[in-house]
Amino acid sequence: EEEGIGLAENRAIRGRWPRLAAKFNPFSMGRLRAWMPLYTSGCVAGLHLIASITFLLIGFALHTTSQAVVEVYRDYTDPTDFAVDENGVGFFDVTVDRHMTAPIWVYYELSGFHQNHMRYIKSRDDRQLRYPESIRATQRPDDCKPWLMTGHRLNYPCGLVARSVFNDSFSIFSNVSDGARRVEVDSSAEVIAWSSDVSLHKNLDPEAATVSGNVKNERALHMWLLKRFPPVECVQVALHNEQKLVPAKVATRIEYINTGDWIEVLDCTGYTGQASCSFVREGKPFKCEGDYEIRRVENWGTQSGHFLVWMRAAALPVFRKTWGKVDSDIAAGTRLRVYVEDNFPVLPFGGRKAFVMSTSSILGTRNDFLGIAYMSVGSASLCFAILLLASARSAR
């Protein structure tokens, strides 16, 4: 009877108001036919069983892939466990338990360093790094506060993010007892930095005069980063009879500027061409020869791969950043001696730092969590399937 009344009303509406009647259809009136299956316990148990098998297989594959990654980890925070000599260099030995196949990635790990803190992450001037030709000695970018000036000169680069760049360096040697040879580590920007970051920074020529009249840029600005990432390096490539590593540093010279200050600048020339620098070793002038060799650095200054990696802030207080890549295999049982120029203090803020060497997989470095998570979900789903089957059997 109700259905008949509805049909009569529908016909009356169509006759009087055809446009309104067009809106009244089975879809708008909620009268479409629906399929509402009632799942049995056995059917639900079967779905859980399929899900559990799928998750367990994926989890097992992920965990196996992660376990195939070979990792060497060494914390070198505590001074009682890591002694530093008069040159600021310490070392530790690590043994490779399993064969490491190239590429082998070298990382440093920091704990307790909050790169995502608002005051810290805002203290930088990206325009200074991307458009150095626009820098003037009289500029005072507010974004760089509180680390803006050194004396009467503008810091280049300025800001807390740049100022706190990680500056420990690693030198890895193998077979220390039999005349150790250096394990070459590629730290070029193209290898360790994001490809989108490589072309962001441009260097300001220290020998040009673009920021303050006829005054050279290295005198008009505080170009402190050049000392950490110079255009030329003097590298010790061999150790003999337990010889210790003694780093050779780029020398500096003292110059007088028109503000009445004596400043320290890097003793280098030809930055944008064939660069050459003077060196010092243990505080004395040093000629780079013998067990040392000169290496020109293509990515120096603000274009250094280490600087680019640091300027991409980490989201968490515990993070790893890429330091370099080893392109040769390391056999199982190899004893490595890692020399560290210890320049980055972490104990004052309660942090820790570590050296990491790791192979990689299709998923990146070792990460057991993802595989364990998948297998946990698969195991839980399997338990539900067993419980449902048991309840269905008991109900019968």
Side-chain angles (χ1 to χ4, degrees):
E1 183 179 354
E2 291 180 359
E3 187 175 350
I5 295 172
L7 291 173
E9 290 178 351
N10 195 11
R11 289 171 183 171
I13 291 173
R14 288 182 180 179
R16 293 184 181 181
W17 301 287
R19 292 185 178 179
L20 181 62
K23 297 181 180 180
F24 290 91
N25 52 66
F27 179 79
S28 63
M29 298 297 290
R31 294 179 178 177
L32 291 175
R33 293 185 178 181
W35 180 52
M36 299 177 63
L38 297 177
Y39 293 102
T40 63
S41 298
C43 181
V44 175
L47 293 175
H48 274 289
L49 186 62
I50 294 173
S52 67
I53 294 173
T54 303
F55 274 87
L56 287 172
L57 290 176
I58 295 175
F60 179 77
L62 291 174
H63 189 68
T64 303
T65 303
S66 176
Q67 289 296 307
V69 174
V70 184
E71 183 176 286
V72 175
Y73 182 92
R74 178 62 157 79
D75 187 299
Y76 64 99
T77 306
D78 300 321
T80 55
D81 192 33
F82 178 72
V84 178
D85 62 17
E86 65 278 5
N87 297 309
V89 178
F91 71 88
F92 52 82
D93 293 333
V94 292
T95 302
V96 178
D97 296 329
R98 292 189 290 164
H99 183 83
M100 302 184 76
T101 304
I104 303 169
W105 296 94
V106 180
Y107 304 91
Y108 59 87
E109 180 180 287
L110 292 180
S111 302
F113 195 102
H114 296 263
Q115 269 199 315
N116 63 341
H117 192 283
M118 183 178 293
R119 288 191 63 188
Y120 174 85
I121 204 170
K122 284 187 173 182
S123 181
R124 57 187 292 168
D125 185 9
D126 289 324
R127 182 176 178 82
Q128 193 186 56
L129 298 171
R130 298 182 184 185
Y131 311 105
E133 65 277 359
S134 65
I135 299 175
R136 296 295 177 266
T138 56
Q139 290 176 346
R140 302 293 182 265
D142 291 336
D143 291 340
C144 284
K145 292 180 179 179
W147 200 68
L148 180 62
M149 306 285 293
T150 297
H152 297 92
R153 297 186 298 162
L154 175 67
N155 294 323
Y156 172 75
C158 60
L160 292 178
V161 181
R163 179 68 179 87
S164 60
V165 61
F166 184 82
N167 58 341
D168 282 3
S169 61
F170 307 109
S171 300
I172 307 171
F173 289 83
S174 62
N175 300 323
V176 178
S177 59
D178 301 325
R181 296 297 299 177
R182 191 184 189 96
V183 176
E184 297 298 334
V185 181
D186 187 356
S187 297
S188 60
E190 291 78 7
V191 171
I192 67 174
W194 286 34
S195 57
S196 58
D197 293 346
V198 173
S199 59
L200 286 181
H201 294 183
K202 297 180 181 179
N203 275 319
L204 182 68
D205 185 2
E207 296 179 302
T210 61
V211 302
S212 181
N214 296 324
V215 181
K216 287 185 177 181
N217 295 335
E218 63 184 357
R219 303 180 64 184
L221 300 176
H222 181 216
M223 303 184 73
W224 60 276
L225 195 64
L226 294 178
K227 192 173 183 180
R228 297 189 181 179
F229 306 120
V232 181
E233 295 178 343
C234 181
V235 179
Q236 188 172 355
V237 295
L239 297 173
H240 302 287
N241 301 322
E242 296 291 333
Q243 177 187 4
K244 67 179 181 178
L245 181 79
V246 182
K249 301 289 188 180
V250 176
T252 58
R253 62 179 185 271
I254 305 299
E255 294 187 358
Y256 182 79
I257 57 176
N258 54 11
T259 59
D261 299 325
W262 293 93
I263 63 170
E264 185 181 49
V265 298
L266 213 63
D267 193 9
C268 296
T269 58
Y271 285 88
T272 58
Q274 290 294 321
S276 63
C277 299
S278 300
F279 298 96
V280 293
R281 181 175 177 268
E282 296 183 316
K284 301 177 182 179
F286 178 71
K287 188 175 182 181
C288 194
E289 58 184 10
D291 291 335
Y292 294 77
E293 66 177 36
I294 292 178
R295 295 182 180 179
R296 288 178 172 81
V297 182
E298 182 179 354
N299 308 115
W300 51 274
T302 61
Q303 291 182 321
S304 166
H306 299 306
F307 186 69
L308 290 173
V309 169
W310 181 260
M311 293 301 286
R312 180 169 285 275
L316 301 175
V318 180
F319 57 87
R320 290 181 181 181
K321 288 184 180 286
T322 310
W323 194 84
K325 184 182 74 168
V326 178
D327 289 318
S328 57
D329 294 356
I330 300 178
T334 301
R335 186 166 69 95
L336 301 176
R337 175 161 292 182
V338 182
Y339 288 89
V340 184
E341 294 181 45
D342 191 23
N343 301 313
F344 193 84
V346 293
L347 291 178
F349 59 86
R352 303 195 70 82
K353 57 184 178 179
F355 167 85
V356 183
M357 286 184 69
S358 174
T359 59
S360 59
S361 67
I362 192 172
L363 300 175
T365 55
R366 175 177 290 184
N367 183 4
D368 294 336
F369 171 79
L370 195 59
I372 294 174
Y374 268 88
M375 288 190 290
S376 299
V377 173
S379 300
S381 186
L382 182 61
C383 292
F384 282 125
I386 295 173
L387 289 174
L388 286 170
L389 288 174
S391 63
R393 178 168 295 183
S394 62
R396 292 177 184 177

